[in-house]
Amino acid sequence: MANAVKIPTDMLPEDGRFGSGPSKIRPEQVAALDAGATTLLGTSHRQTPVRQLVGSIREGLESFFKVPDGYEIALGNGGASCFWEIACACLITRQAAFGAYGSFSSKFAASASKAPFLEEPVVFKGEPGTYRLPELTEYADAYCWAHNETSTGVAAPVRRVEGSAEQGAITLIDGTSAAGALPVDVSQTDAYYFSPQKAFGSDGGLWVAVLSPAAIERAARVEANVNLPGVSRWVPPFLSLTSALENSRKDQTLNTPAVATLIMMENQVRWLNDNGGMEWSTARCSKSASLLYTWAERSEYARPFVTDPAARSHSVVTIDLDDAISASAVVQALRENGIVDTSGYRKLGRNQLRIGVFPSVEPSDVVALTQCIDYVVERLQH
Ligand SMILES: *Cc1c(COP(=O)(O)O)cnc(C)c1O
């Protein structure tokens, strides 16, 4: 520990968790676990107490996203990664078009490419640090991209591809690190899906989707057709969107959920709505992100990775450092002082910090973080 840097205690953020998912869980969410220690934890998800919890999450999200008439909130086990497979099995009819500009947006495209009953997807590739939306594609029946590319800190617009509605195509948006942190008009989507361990500050393992009537109808039709002779598609029961929805309507999940995840998520959705809903949470994230971008722009050794200010994420902030300063040494020194999970996405391989500024993170802690980074960098150089 020859180069150990000790940050003065009074400079440290109150909470040192800046991960991009899993992310900071507020103490009140953990207290909610304690409050449900004997009434919710270790009890049946088919009985009223846990079903009320699921019901509260569904109602809370309807209100948070101001869902249009006919849209429904569905949930199930497996996280956003599982929803990609659900979408391949139940939502893409023949061929999908993808915007791919980072690790997460590319993974869904890779799944669709592997599904033997789907045609090779059309992939519109963008460079890391930028976004690229799919373009109108002749036979596409689904258009897919990520609202926020977590691996690079890029936020993309969410609006239907012009002409796609006339084609009868649906729009599937990965909102995993955006939902709860970035503004969205879900009427521009048919499935807006996410996991709870990012802006909702809960644990992983669950997927949640805001589904349009068109998506619900598409899944019902695709799943009904798979029983016809000559149709080769197999929809594993675990991936059936229709049965996930039927269970969700009863405030249940197909199979056993992690009740702790539900408790913490319910607490967060209520907290967001009580504070003013999407307007409040997105303004808070925007403030935290802009504190970081402004600091980086003024810094002599740091700069925002995403060059287009309009594409800079307000939930996952990526900051490049000068080559003379090792990001991994900075990340390590921060960790030794209790400031954790600030490293860049491994596969992106840049000399970079990546900082999650979801609604649970206090903007004052973001200011403290920038001062701690300056403190560490100054000492590492000498
Ligand atoms: C984290 C993340 C995922 C994967 O979520 P899991 O819950 O781990 O399956 C997918 N897409 C995006 C954009 C993410 O940030």
Side-chain angles (χ1 to χ4, degrees):
M1 294 275 284
N3 316 324
V5 178
K6 175 90 181 74
I7 303 174
T9 315
D10 60 1
M11 275 185 77
L12 292 170
E14 258 175 58
D15 197 299
R17 291 172 291 178
F18 292 97
S20 299
S23 64
K24 175 182 170 186
I25 299 177
R26 289 175 307 107
E28 292 79 4
Q29 292 173 276
V30 179
L33 292 176
D34 219 17
T38 57
T39 51
L40 293 166
L41 291 175
T43 75
S44 170
H45 58 293
R46 307 282 177 214
Q47 297 301 320
T48 307
V50 177
R51 287 174 66 181
Q52 278 176 341
L53 205 57
V54 173
S56 169
I57 291 172
R58 294 179 67 237
E59 275 174 37
L61 291 174
E62 277 176 17
S63 140
F64 184 85
F65 289 110
K66 303 188 173 72
V67 303
D69 278 352
Y71 276 63
E72 295 189 58
I73 311 283
L75 73 169
N77 284 313
S81 302
C82 181
F83 196 84
W84 293 329
E85 316 307 339
I86 291 176
C88 289
C90 308
L91 288 173
I92 304 170
T93 311
R94 239 176 54 130
Q95 186 182 44
F98 288 89
Y101 36 88
S103 204
F104 292 100
S105 47
S106 302
K107 279 186 192 174
F108 183 13
S111 267
S113 170
K114 286 192 188 122
F117 45 83
L118 297 178
E119 285 180 26
E120 194 54 31
V122 181
V123 181
F124 296 86
K125 271 186 172 277
E127 286 303 308
T130 68
Y131 64 81
R132 175 125 183 248
L133 302 184
E135 293 163 21
L136 193 68
T137 301
E138 190 168 9
Y139 294 112
D141 54 68
Y143 290 86
C144 319
W145 67 97
H147 190 180
N148 194 70
E149 176 48 72
T150 319
S151 65
T152 57
V154 166
V158 175
R159 51 162 191 268
R160 292 180 191 280
V161 173
E162 217 169 304
S164 63
E166 291 73 8
Q167 275 181 315
I170 57 177
T171 301
L172 312 177
I173 300 295
D174 182 349
T176 304
S177 59
L182 270 50
V184 66
D185 171 5
V186 290
S187 75
Q188 290 294 314
T189 74
D190 295 294
Y192 187 76
Y193 59 92
F194 51 92
S195 305
Q197 74 275 22
K198 315 236 169 159
F200 293 96
S202 185
D203 260 334
L206 207 67
W207 60 262
V208 179
V210 186
L211 299 174
S212 76
I216 293 166
E217 201 244 12
R218 170 79 68 91
R221 203 175 62 236
V222 169
E223 293 184 51
N225 284 346
V226 295
N227 297 320
L228 299 178
V231 174
S232 64
R233 183 180 302 204
W234 173 53
V235 177
F238 188 65
L239 300 185
S240 163
L241 187 57
T242 302
S243 65
L245 185 63
E246 281 164 3
N247 277 285
S248 302
R249 284 173 178 156
K250 293 186 273 182
D251 293 328
Q252 299 187 44
T253 45
L254 175 71
N255 65 325
T256 316
V259 175
T261 304
L262 295 172
I263 294 175
M264 291 191 288
M265 174 144 194
E266 195 272 343
N267 185 278
Q268 183 82 340
V269 172
R270 241 176 334 104
W271 178 70
L272 294 175
N273 282 334
D274 287 349
N275 276 293
M278 190 189 286
E279 286 73 21
W280 177 79
S281 68
T282 58
R284 182 169 160 94
C285 294
S286 164
K287 177 178 180 187
S288 291
S290 100
L291 286 165
L292 278 165
Y293 291 125
T294 306
W295 159 79
E297 277 171 337
R298 288 188 187 148
S299 161
E300 276 163 22
Y301 64 86
R303 79 207 68 84
F305 167 51
V306 179
T307 47
D308 173 7
R312 285 178 191 159
S313 167
H314 291 174
S315 60
V316 175
V317 173
T318 46
I319 304 286
D320 274 350
L321 302 186
D322 281 351
D323 287 344
I325 297 148
S326 154
S328 63
V330 174
V331 167
Q332 178 62 25
L334 291 172
R335 181 169 278 280
E336 284 160 5
N337 286 276
I339 300 172
V340 302
D341 300 340
T342 58
S343 52
Y345 192 73
R346 201 168 23 89
K347 284 189 230 151
L348 186 60
R350 293 185 71 90
N351 192 45
Q352 182 170 93
L353 305 177
R354 186 176 60 140
I355 295 149
V357 289
F358 296 112
S360 297
V361 171
E362 292 296 333
S364 57
D365 275 354
V366 174
V367 175
L369 171 65
T370 61
Q371 290 162 354
C372 289
I373 299 171
D374 283 339
Y375 186 91
V376 163
V377 167
E378 197 171 305
R379 270 138 198 100
L380 286 176
Q381 280 176 313
H382 296 110

mmCIF file of all heavy atoms in Angstrom, residues 63-88:
data_model
loop_
_atom_site.group_PDB
_atom_site.id
_atom_site.type_symbol
_atom_site.label_atom_id
_atom_site.label_comp_id
_atom_site.label_asym_id
_atom_site.label_seq_id
_atom_site.Cartn_x
_atom_site.Cartn_y
_atom_site.Cartn_z
ATOM 1 N N SER A 63 -48.803 5.108 -12.661
ATOM 2 C CA SER A 63 -48.880 6.531 -12.392
ATOM 3 C C SER A 63 -47.553 7.212 -12.749
ATOM 4 O O SER A 63 -47.534 8.277 -13.375
ATOM 5 C CB SER A 63 -49.308 6.703 -10.930
ATOM 6 O OG SER A 63 -48.639 7.730 -10.321
ATOM 7 N N PHE A 64 -46.431 6.587 -12.414
ATOM 8 C CA PHE A 64 -45.120 7.186 -12.708
ATOM 9 C C PHE A 64 -44.954 7.409 -14.214
ATOM 10 O O PHE A 64 -44.508 8.466 -14.651
ATOM 11 C CB PHE A 64 -43.994 6.288 -12.179
ATOM 12 C CG PHE A 64 -42.634 6.872 -12.360
ATOM 13 C CD1 PHE A 64 -42.110 7.758 -11.431
ATOM 14 C CD2 PHE A 64 -41.866 6.561 -13.484
ATOM 15 C CE1 PHE A 64 -40.858 8.334 -11.611
ATOM 16 C CE2 PHE A 64 -40.614 7.130 -13.674
ATOM 17 C CZ PHE A 64 -40.108 8.007 -12.737
ATOM 18 N N PHE A 65 -45.320 6.398 -15.012
ATOM 19 C CA PHE A 65 -45.142 6.500 -16.473
ATOM 20 C C PHE A 65 -46.362 7.095 -17.172
ATOM 21 O O PHE A 65 -46.364 7.203 -18.399
ATOM 22 C CB PHE A 65 -44.820 5.126 -17.067
ATOM 23 C CG PHE A 65 -43.451 4.616 -16.720
ATOM 24 C CD1 PHE A 65 -43.280 3.553 -15.855
ATOM 25 C CD2 PHE A 65 -42.317 5.220 -17.244
ATOM 26 C CE1 PHE A 65 -42.012 3.086 -15.523
ATOM 27 C CE2 PHE A 65 -41.046 4.774 -16.919
ATOM 28 C CZ PHE A 65 -40.890 3.707 -16.050
ATOM 29 N N LYS A 66 -47.387 7.473 -16.389
ATOM 30 C CA LYS A 66 -48.621 8.016 -16.979
ATOM 31 C C LYS A 66 -49.043 7.149 -18.170
ATOM 32 O O LYS A 66 -49.196 7.631 -19.307
ATOM 33 C CB LYS A 66 -48.409 9.468 -17.431
ATOM 34 C CG LYS A 66 -47.946 10.394 -16.312
ATOM 35 C CD LYS A 66 -47.959 11.840 -16.787
ATOM 36 C CE LYS A 66 -47.668 12.830 -15.682
ATOM 37 N NZ LYS A 66 -46.257 12.849 -15.214
ATOM 38 N N VAL A 67 -49.236 5.853 -17.907
ATOM 39 C CA VAL A 67 -49.439 4.936 -19.028
ATOM 40 C C VAL A 67 -50.776 5.216 -19.728
ATOM 41 O O VAL A 67 -51.787 5.466 -19.088
ATOM 42 C CB VAL A 67 -49.357 3.446 -18.612
ATOM 43 C CG1 VAL A 67 -48.041 3.123 -17.945
ATOM 44 C CG2 VAL A 67 -50.513 3.060 -17.723
ATOM 45 N N PRO A 68 -50.755 5.216 -21.054
ATOM 46 C CA PRO A 68 -51.980 5.461 -21.815
ATOM 47 C C PRO A 68 -52.990 4.325 -21.592
ATOM 48 O O PRO A 68 -52.619 3.237 -21.165
ATOM 49 C CB PRO A 68 -51.503 5.455 -23.270
ATOM 50 C CG PRO A 68 -50.007 5.542 -23.220
ATOM 51 C CD PRO A 68 -49.580 4.983 -21.911
ATOM 52 N N ASP A 69 -54.248 4.602 -21.919
ATOM 53 C CA ASP A 69 -55.306 3.592 -21.800
ATOM 54 C C ASP A 69 -54.915 2.320 -22.532
ATOM 55 O O ASP A 69 -54.427 2.376 -23.654
ATOM 56 C CB ASP A 69 -56.607 4.117 -22.427
ATOM 57 C CG ASP A 69 -57.350 5.014 -21.450
ATOM 58 O OD1 ASP A 69 -56.911 5.083 -20.266
ATOM 59 O OD2 ASP A 69 -58.335 5.636 -21.870
ATOM 60 N N GLY A 70 -55.165 1.193 -21.902
ATOM 61 C CA GLY A 70 -54.919 -0.086 -22.558
ATOM 62 C C GLY A 70 -53.521 -0.633 -22.312
ATOM 63 O O GLY A 70 -53.281 -1.821 -22.508
ATOM 64 N N TYR A 71 -52.578 0.238 -21.912
ATOM 65 C CA TYR A 71 -51.227 -0.251 -21.582
ATOM 66 C C TYR A 71 -51.282 -0.958 -20.226
ATOM 67 O O TYR A 71 -52.070 -0.583 -19.360
ATOM 68 C CB TYR A 71 -50.236 0.920 -21.495
ATOM 69 C CG TYR A 71 -49.667 1.360 -22.832
ATOM 70 C CD1 TYR A 71 -50.488 1.878 -23.828
ATOM 71 C CD2 TYR A 71 -48.294 1.284 -23.093
ATOM 72 C CE1 TYR A 71 -49.954 2.302 -25.035
ATOM 73 C CE2 TYR A 71 -47.761 1.710 -24.298
ATOM 74 C CZ TYR A 71 -48.587 2.214 -25.271
ATOM 75 O OH TYR A 71 -48.043 2.633 -26.469
ATOM 76 N N GLU A 72 -50.440 -1.982 -20.065
ATOM 77 C CA GLU A 72 -50.429 -2.733 -18.809
ATOM 78 C C GLU A 72 -48.999 -2.973 -18.336
ATOM 79 O O GLU A 72 -48.078 -3.072 -19.149
ATOM 80 C CB GLU A 72 -51.127 -4.089 -18.998
ATOM 81 C CG GLU A 72 -52.608 -3.970 -19.311
ATOM 82 C CD GLU A 72 -53.303 -5.331 -19.284
ATOM 83 O OE1 GLU A 72 -53.250 -5.997 -18.232
ATOM 84 O OE2 GLU A 72 -53.855 -5.708 -20.335
ATOM 85 N N ILE A 73 -48.872 -3.105 -17.020
ATOM 86 C CA ILE A 73 -47.556 -3.407 -16.425
ATOM 87 C C ILE A 73 -47.474 -4.912 -16.167
ATOM 88 O O ILE A 73 -48.307 -5.464 -15.445
ATOM 89 C CB ILE A 73 -47.366 -2.681 -15.075
ATOM 90 C CG1 ILE A 73 -47.712 -1.186 -15.170
ATOM 91 C CG2 ILE A 73 -45.954 -2.924 -14.515
ATOM 92 C CD1 ILE A 73 -46.687 -0.318 -15.821
ATOM 93 N N ALA A 74 -46.491 -5.550 -16.758
ATOM 94 C CA ALA A 74 -46.268 -6.983 -16.511
ATOM 95 C C ALA A 74 -44.905 -7.154 -15.847
ATOM 96 O O ALA A 74 -44.026 -6.303 -15.991
ATOM 97 C CB ALA A 74 -46.316 -7.763 -17.823
ATOM 98 N N LEU A 75 -44.761 -8.236 -15.095
ATOM 99 C CA LEU A 75 -43.457 -8.514 -14.486
ATOM 100 C C LEU A 75 -43.235 -10.009 -14.357
ATOM 101 O O LEU A 75 -44.189 -10.797 -14.394
ATOM 102 C CB LEU A 75 -43.304 -7.799 -13.133
ATOM 103 C CG LEU A 75 -44.072 -8.294 -11.914
ATOM 104 C CD1 LEU A 75 -43.553 -7.595 -10.666
ATOM 105 C CD2 LEU A 75 -45.566 -8.019 -12.037
ATOM 106 N N GLY A 76 -41.973 -10.377 -14.232
ATOM 107 C CA GLY A 76 -41.633 -11.782 -14.098
ATOM 108 C C GLY A 76 -40.186 -11.933 -13.654
ATOM 109 O O GLY A 76 -39.460 -10.936 -13.525
ATOM 110 N N ASN A 77 -39.766 -13.135 -13.457
ATOM 111 C CA ASN A 77 -38.398 -13.396 -13.011
ATOM 112 C C ASN A 77 -37.433 -13.464 -14.188
ATOM 113 O O ASN A 77 -37.800 -13.888 -15.281
ATOM 114 C CB ASN A 77 -38.353 -14.728 -12.248
ATOM 115 C CG ASN A 77 -38.928 -14.573 -10.853
ATOM 116 O OD1 ASN A 77 -38.586 -13.633 -10.133
ATOM 117 N ND2 ASN A 77 -39.817 -15.468 -10.485
ATOM 118 N N GLY A 78 -36.201 -13.040 -13.936
ATOM 119 C CA GLY A 78 -35.165 -13.222 -14.954
ATOM 120 C C GLY A 78 -34.467 -11.957 -15.420
ATOM 121 O O GLY A 78 -33.473 -12.036 -16.128
ATOM 122 N N GLY A 79 -34.953 -10.796 -15.039
ATOM 123 C CA GLY A 79 -34.273 -9.561 -15.411
ATOM 124 C C GLY A 79 -34.456 -9.196 -16.877
ATOM 125 O O GLY A 79 -35.053 -9.939 -17.667
ATOM 126 N N ALA A 80 -33.913 -8.044 -17.254
ATOM 127 C CA ALA A 80 -34.047 -7.550 -18.631
ATOM 128 C C ALA A 80 -33.464 -8.553 -19.627
ATOM 129 O O ALA A 80 -33.972 -8.702 -20.740
ATOM 130 C CB ALA A 80 -33.363 -6.194 -18.774
ATOM 131 N N SER A 81 -32.406 -9.248 -19.226
ATOM 132 C CA SER A 81 -31.807 -10.251 -20.131
ATOM 133 C C SER A 81 -32.833 -11.303 -20.509
ATOM 134 O O SER A 81 -32.849 -11.794 -21.639
ATOM 135 C CB SER A 81 -30.618 -10.946 -19.466
ATOM 136 O OG SER A 81 -29.652 -10.003 -19.090
ATOM 137 N N CYS A 82 -33.685 -11.660 -19.560
ATOM 138 C CA CYS A 82 -34.728 -12.649 -19.842
ATOM 139 C C CYS A 82 -35.772 -12.058 -20.783
ATOM 140 O O CYS A 82 -36.299 -12.760 -21.653
ATOM 141 C CB CYS A 82 -35.371 -13.095 -18.531
ATOM 142 S SG CYS A 82 -36.644 -14.328 -18.754
ATOM 143 N N PHE A 83 -36.034 -10.749 -20.626
ATOM 144 C CA PHE A 83 -37.045 -10.152 -21.504
ATOM 145 C C PHE A 83 -36.607 -10.184 -22.969
ATOM 146 O O PHE A 83 -37.446 -10.276 -23.872
ATOM 147 C CB PHE A 83 -37.396 -8.721 -21.063
ATOM 148 C CG PHE A 83 -38.675 -8.249 -21.699
ATOM 149 C CD1 PHE A 83 -39.914 -8.576 -21.138
ATOM 150 C CD2 PHE A 83 -38.658 -7.536 -22.891
ATOM 151 C CE1 PHE A 83 -41.101 -8.199 -21.756
ATOM 152 C CE2 PHE A 83 -39.838 -7.155 -23.506
ATOM 153 C CZ PHE A 83 -41.064 -7.490 -22.943
ATOM 154 N N TRP A 84 -35.288 -10.119 -23.217
ATOM 155 C CA TRP A 84 -34.818 -10.242 -24.613
ATOM 156 C C TRP A 84 -35.283 -11.566 -25.208
ATOM 157 O O TRP A 84 -35.736 -11.625 -26.357
ATOM 158 C CB TRP A 84 -33.278 -10.167 -24.675
ATOM 159 C CG TRP A 84 -32.720 -8.829 -24.305
ATOM 160 C CD1 TRP A 84 -33.315 -7.605 -24.488
ATOM 161 C CD2 TRP A 84 -31.458 -8.559 -23.686
ATOM 162 N NE1 TRP A 84 -32.496 -6.606 -24.021
ATOM 163 C CE2 TRP A 84 -31.357 -7.163 -23.534
ATOM 164 C CE3 TRP A 84 -30.389 -9.365 -23.258
ATOM 165 C CZ2 TRP A 84 -30.226 -6.551 -22.955
ATOM 166 C CZ3 TRP A 84 -29.272 -8.760 -22.696
ATOM 167 C CH2 TRP A 84 -29.200 -7.369 -22.546
ATOM 168 N N GLU A 85 -35.157 -12.637 -24.401
ATOM 169 C CA GLU A 85 -35.557 -13.960 -24.917
ATOM 170 C C GLU A 85 -37.080 -14.051 -25.049
ATOM 171 O O GLU A 85 -37.597 -14.684 -25.978
ATOM 172 C CB GLU A 85 -35.024 -15.074 -24.010
ATOM 173 C CG GLU A 85 -33.568 -14.921 -23.545
ATOM 174 C CD GLU A 85 -32.555 -14.715 -24.671
ATOM 175 O OE1 GLU A 85 -32.850 -15.063 -25.821
ATOM 176 O OE2 GLU A 85 -31.468 -14.168 -24.385
ATOM 177 N N ILE A 86 -37.785 -13.419 -24.111
ATOM 178 C CA ILE A 86 -39.252 -13.372 -24.196
ATOM 179 C C ILE A 86 -39.658 -12.674 -25.495
ATOM 180 O O ILE A 86 -40.556 -13.124 -26.212
ATOM 181 C CB ILE A 86 -39.841 -12.637 -22.970
ATOM 182 C CG1 ILE A 86 -39.629 -13.478 -21.698
ATOM 183 C CG2 ILE A 86 -41.315 -12.290 -23.182
ATOM 184 C CD1 ILE A 86 -40.081 -12.797 -20.417
ATOM 185 N N ALA A 87 -38.970 -11.577 -25.787
ATOM 186 C CA ALA A 87 -39.308 -10.815 -26.995
ATOM 187 C C ALA A 87 -39.018 -11.636 -28.249
ATOM 188 O O ALA A 87 -39.801 -11.622 -29.208
ATOM 189 C CB ALA A 87 -38.530 -9.501 -27.013
ATOM 190 N N CYS A 88 -37.903 -12.371 -28.251
ATOM 191 C CA CYS A 88 -37.601 -13.237 -29.404
ATOM 192 C C CYS A 88 -38.678 -14.310 -29.546
ATOM 193 O O CYS A 88 -39.109 -14.624 -30.654
ATOM 194 C CB CYS A 88 -36.232 -13.902 -29.242
ATOM 195 S SG CYS A 88 -34.855 -12.762 -29.423
#
